[in-house]
Amino acid sequence: MSGKQICELHKNTREAIWFRLGEFNGHKFIDMRVFVKEDGKDPAPTKKGLAVSPQLWPQFRAALDQVEAAMIEQGWLDREDLNQAEGLHPHPDINSR
């Protein structure tokens, strides 16, 4: 798989979710995958993840909007929480464009 890392979100000290634009066998996709960092090793991808085709991206975002509304309705999230992107780390290559 070829791909370009966009950003990562740290779940804990060992795991991070990497957001990447990827391509495999001529198919493009947005890859959201958990990577694990072992002592002294580079982060490695796990089976935990999701790949969404660009064609499905609009519906995927709409579904996330519905999930967000439900979380607010259930009291799991406050609207103020949405203004905080703390913990999201752009990949260094993205900032150099």
Side-chain angles (χ1 to χ4, degrees):
M1 178 195 96
S2 63
K4 179 173 185 70
Q5 185 178 354
I6 304 301
C7 61
E8 59 188 68
L9 176 64
H10 294 276
K11 290 178 60 176
N12 54 50
T13 57
R14 289 187 56 233
E15 297 179 314
I17 302 169
W18 286 21
F19 295 83
R20 302 182 299 170
L21 299 181
E23 189 170 340
F24 183 74
N25 288 340
H27 299 283
K28 295 178 179 168
F29 56 90
I30 300 93
D31 186 45
M32 296 157 272
R33 186 148 316 277
V34 175
F35 276 67
V36 176
K37 178 138 177 81
E38 300 291 338
D39 290 334
K41 297 180 182 176
D42 288 337
T46 68
K47 293 181 180 182
K48 298 176 195 173
L50 175 67
V52 178
S53 73
Q55 294 79 16
L56 287 178
W57 188 251
Q59 295 96 321
F60 182 78
R61 289 199 47 173
L64 290 179
D65 288 342
Q66 292 178 22
V67 170
E68 182 178 290
M71 289 179 9
I72 291 168
E73 183 180 302
Q74 294 295 315
W76 291 14
L77 186 67
D78 292 322
R79 289 210 181 272
E80 296 80 33
D81 295 332
L82 300 175
N83 296 326
Q84 301 174 18
E86 191 175 316
L88 187 63
H89 305 282
H91 191 268
D93 291 344
I94 296 301
N95 293 332
S96 63
R97 285 195 236 169

